[in-house]
Amino acid sequence: MSGEDLSDFSMLDLFRAELASQSQAFTAGLLALERDLTAAIHLEACMRAAHSLKGAARIIDLTPAVQVAHEMEECLVAAQHGKIRLSRTHIDTLLQGIDLLDAIAAGAGEPEAQTKSRVEAFARSLHRASDETDRPSPDVVPTSSEPAFEAQPATAPAPPETPAPTADVATGERMVRVTADSLNRLLGLAGESLMSARRLRPFNDGLLRLRRVQAELAKSFEDLRAALPVDGNDRAAQALATAQLKLAEGQALLAQRLDEIDTVDRRATDLANRLYDETLASRMRPFEDGVRHFQRNVRDIGRALGKTVRLDIVGGATSIDRDILDQLDAPLGHLLRNAVDHGIETPEQRGAAGKPTEGLIRLEARHNAGLLQIIVADDGGGIDIEALRQATLARGLTTAETVWNLNEEELLEFLFLPGFSMKATVSDISGRGVGLDAVQAMVRQVRGQVTVASEPGIGTRFQLQLPLTLSVIRALLVEIDGEPYALPLTAIARALRLQRDKIELLEGRPHFRLGEQQVGLVTAHEILGRGEAATGDEELPTVVVGQGDNLYALVVDRFLGERELVVRPLDPRLAKVKDVSAAALMDDGSPVLILDVEDLIRSMEKLVSGGRLRTLERSVARTGQKRRKRVLVVDDSLTVRELERKLLDHHGFEVEVAVDGMDGWNAVRSDPFDLVVTDVDMPRMDGIELVTLIKRDPGLRNLPVMIVSYKDREEDRRRGLDAGADYYLTKGSFHDETLIHAVVDLIGEPLG
């Protein structure tokens, strides 16, 4: 550790870090010794930790801590020499010694007399435990022939080195202190760098397209050369040859630059991905780091209840987001207390049932299908379903008629209600009914789920399914009123394209059948206040959200696919934005809002209960009527676009608009139209190129396209028709019925 900059750490900080590390090892050793009081390996581990703590305390002249650690080491040395026999009372007292060291380190500066009194009381307790233990006979073989450490007087010199808090004990890696906010900002910047790197790909694709255009141009020159008469003008042939040479040079230069940018693209994307992965990994911690202290808690609660309980941690090396691990502390504490108090039986009951007298609780973490699963399982008596049924009835949560029709899964859901408890009395450990509802609240807060299963006589199992990190989510992108929105995948029950003939009105409200359940339909336009949705399609993109019987179906305009998004919190000055939880950036750098699904469900419930849903009700009521012809108007002029839209809408056509050729091209590929009306001069993609793309697409080539332009020269008209347009009209024709007549000529009357 030489060369480390420890200037930010006080000597007391160094000791506290040492204490945090060594107390974990000491506690783990004591809990192992409790199961085997003569295990030399665990005894030596505890002695080593006590010895290190004594030396570290002596370095900073923290005399009370030196005295406590010395008493602990002396006790363990005596046990190793066979002078005393360790008992569970020793284990209890030694664990209290760790607590006392924590208190001394945390409360340095309290009155000296008070600290001295606490240390003396601890020493008396430890000596009393040794006096009460039957001493072994002289022929008892000690656990080890040589002590791991020799007991040193209080004035002995300190160990030469003290581990600094900048090293991880398990791995030996250097550690530095970084705030959570700094990590969040770093992750956000890494995500932005990744998105910036990905923007090189569309640029590269544009150059490839330019190369294809050049290749077509070269072929056109060849065709032109072939068309020239053999005895033609030498000057024309020479000019053509020069143009071909220049074109060839341009093609070679473009090919070279394409190779270069392709290499840059690959390297930049790879570097950004590595930066992002490393930054994300820095937010992760091993599961065991946040839950190791529960082994002591479970043991102490069990002792207080007269039970012998062991906690096994499985998957301790599983990486978990720091924020999630911190938020798991209280919920896991509730679950483990319940497991000890409600689940694990007394030693007498377990013996009578043929079980080991020591109860076992398993706390497991694992990654599964892109999610984090936390399992808390005990081998106790399980949940008494009939007692749960009676408790549900006694608290007036359901009627006597209904309670007997509820299955086990439905009854177990009552455990998560606020204030619900099956215990008739309140203790310091449980009975207040504030545990499982807090567990469910935390899980929902991080967009997760919690389930419970129980088997009589075998035990109970709680499973928490959580996102791997709060900083990154997998989301379904949908389009609503021309804007993208993100829905977390963990909150989606199902996504489907709903056939219109599957929708029916129940009590005047639109529903459809999903399995055995009737699910209500609401349009995202109405929820977000984005006007009335266009619901004329035969298939409606639908997202089903909610759980159990509380399902709702949200009708969106279009599915845009799944994405991995870096979550960016909204500015706190905005407070809580209705139906929105956070934001993110798309691959092209554009923003997208992440919807708050629980808020959406509440909004749906309000709309339904208030009878304010209209769009789908009218749409369903119109089912069976003739379908209106759909026209896409593409123009970069707001005035012209609105004039065309109103004119066509007034005559009965259903109209959608696009702001330029690129927007129009995306629209015709995702939604069906009967006609496209487009301008010529537009940014990003002009009308001629749009027509060309439509007519080259096998699925769209039969779609009629009308060009409406201010350009009324014959060559402009010829250029549009040559590209594949079915009609060419000048914008001066808006003042009469020419546009409507042309539309009717192409696709017929508005109602098909």
Side-chain angles (χ1 to χ4, degrees), residues 49 120 251 459 652:
E120 291 174 349
Q251 286 181 296

Side-chain angles (χ1 to χ4, degrees), residues 296-489:
R296 164 84 183 276
N297 294 350
V298 166
R299 181 258 185 200
D300 290 347
I301 294 172
R303 293 273 285 174
L305 295 172
K307 302 176 181 180
T308 305
V309 190
R310 182 176 89 251
L311 174 65
D312 279 355
I313 298 175
V314 182
T318 303
S319 296
I320 299 181
D321 184 280
R322 293 169 183 265
D323 290 343
I324 290 182
L325 193 55
D326 289 342
Q327 293 185 48
L328 276 173
D329 188 72
L332 290 181
H334 287 306
L335 291 176
L336 292 171
R337 279 195 298 274
N338 280 347
V340 178
D341 192 16
H342 295 275
I344 301 297
E345 313 95 328
T346 63
E348 295 77 17
Q349 292 171 328
R350 293 180 66 86
K355 295 182 177 180
T357 56
E358 181 183 59
L360 176 63
I361 301 175
R362 181 169 55 89
L363 177 56
E364 180 180 357
R366 64 190 182 198
H367 293 166
N368 182 45
L371 295 171
L372 169 67
Q373 286 186 350
I374 305 291
I375 297 169
V376 179
D378 65 67
D379 68 346
I383 298 173
D384 187 335
I385 295 300
E386 292 309 312
L388 176 59
R389 199 185 304 271
Q390 293 298 332
T392 303
L393 188 60
R395 284 166 173 75
L397 299 174
T398 185
T399 64
E401 180 181 356
T402 303
V403 75
W404 296 106
N405 294 324
L406 297 175
N407 59 35
E408 181 175 322
E409 182 180 351
E410 292 169 331
L411 280 169
L412 289 173
E413 287 296 319
F414 283 100
L415 294 172
F416 295 101
L417 292 179
F420 187 88
S421 176
M422 293 177 62
K423 293 198 72 174
T425 59
V426 175
S427 68
D428 292 337
I429 297 172
S430 64
R432 293 178 175 82
V434 295
L436 293 182
D437 65 308
V439 174
Q440 189 173 67
M442 175 269 167
V443 171
R444 286 180 173 174
Q445 184 180 355
V446 299
R447 306 181 295 273
Q449 296 179 349
V450 57
T451 57
V452 57
S454 181
E455 190 172 347
I458 303 300
T460 304
R461 183 177 188 268
F462 286 87
Q463 178 171 302
L464 283 62
Q465 187 162 282
L466 310 168
L468 290 179
T469 173
L470 298 181
S471 305
V472 180
I473 64 168
R474 291 290 299 175
L476 173 65
L477 286 186
V478 299
E479 185 178 288
I480 303 170
D481 194 27
E483 298 288 341
Y485 291 87
L487 287 158
L489 289 184

Side-chain angles (χ1 to χ4, degrees), residues 385-653:
I385 295 300
E386 292 309 312
L388 176 59
R389 199 185 304 271
Q390 293 298 332
T392 303
L393 188 60
R395 284 166 173 75
L397 299 174
T398 185
T399 64
E401 180 181 356
T402 303
V403 75
W404 296 106
N405 294 324
L406 297 175
N407 59 35
E408 181 175 322
E409 182 180 351
E410 292 169 331
L411 280 169
L412 289 173
E413 287 296 319
F414 283 100
L415 294 172
F416 295 101
L417 292 179
F420 187 88
S421 176
M422 293 177 62
K423 293 198 72 174
T425 59
V426 175
S427 68
D428 292 337
I429 297 172
S430 64
R432 293 178 175 82
V434 295
L436 293 182
D437 65 308
V439 174
Q440 189 173 67
M442 175 269 167
V443 171
R444 286 180 173 174
Q445 184 180 355
V446 299
R447 306 181 295 273
Q449 296 179 349
V450 57
T451 57
V452 57
S454 181
E455 190 172 347
I458 303 300
T460 304
R461 183 177 188 268
F462 286 87
Q463 178 171 302
L464 283 62
Q465 187 162 282
L466 310 168
L468 290 179
T469 173
L470 298 181
S471 305
V472 180
I473 64 168
R474 291 290 299 175
L476 173 65
L477 286 186
V478 299
E479 185 178 288
I480 303 170
D481 194 27
E483 298 288 341
Y485 291 87
L487 287 158
L489 289 184
T490 54
I492 296 176
R494 189 173 176 186
L496 69 156
R497 296 187 182 275
L498 181 63
Q499 297 291 330
R500 176 172 294 279
D501 58 10
K502 301 295 183 184
I503 303 175
E504 55 188 50
L505 291 178
L506 298 178
E507 298 180 350
R509 296 170 184 164
H511 288 71
F512 77 100
R513 181 170 292 278
L514 181 64
E516 299 298 320
Q517 188 173 349
Q518 289 286 351
V519 180
L521 280 163
V522 182
T523 67
H525 281 251
E526 289 176 294
I527 294 296
L528 300 179
R530 302 301 298 263
E532 187 168 316
T535 56
D537 297 343
E538 292 303 314
E539 290 185 339
L540 301 179
T542 305
V543 181
V544 181
V545 296
Q547 293 182 355
D549 295 332
N550 190 31
L551 292 179
Y552 279 94
L554 188 70
V555 179
V556 300
D557 295 343
R558 189 155 57 104
F559 292 141
L560 300 178
E562 291 184 20
R563 297 287 192 283
E564 187 176 83
L565 301 175
V566 179
V567 178
R568 306 298 296 270
L570 298 177
D571 192 308
R573 290 173 294 183
L574 295 174
K576 176 66 177 79
V577 179
K578 180 178 175 291
D579 301 323
V580 175
S581 63
L585 292 177
M586 304 275 279
D587 288 349
D588 61 359
S590 60
V592 59
L593 292 177
I594 301 173
L595 296 178
D596 185 332
V597 174
E598 287 201 3
D599 219 6
L600 282 176
I601 292 175
R602 286 190 289 269
S603 298
M604 293 177 192
E605 291 172 344
K606 289 179 182 178
L607 281 175
V608 171
S609 62
R612 289 176 286 164
L613 295 177
R614 292 291 178 266
T615 302
L616 280 172
E617 293 172 10
R618 288 194 296 267
S619 176
V620 174
R622 287 197 302 262
T623 301
Q625 298 179 359
K626 291 185 176 181
R627 184 181 69 86
R628 288 203 300 168
K629 300 287 180 64
R630 301 188 73 222
V631 179
L632 176 66
V633 171
V634 187
D635 201 300
D636 62 325
S637 168
L638 174 63
T639 303
V640 173
R641 197 166 61 235
E642 274 301 291
L643 181 60
E644 292 180 354
R645 187 191 65 78
K646 289 179 179 179
L647 185 61
L648 291 165
D649 183 77
H650 176 72
H651 284 81
F653 293 96

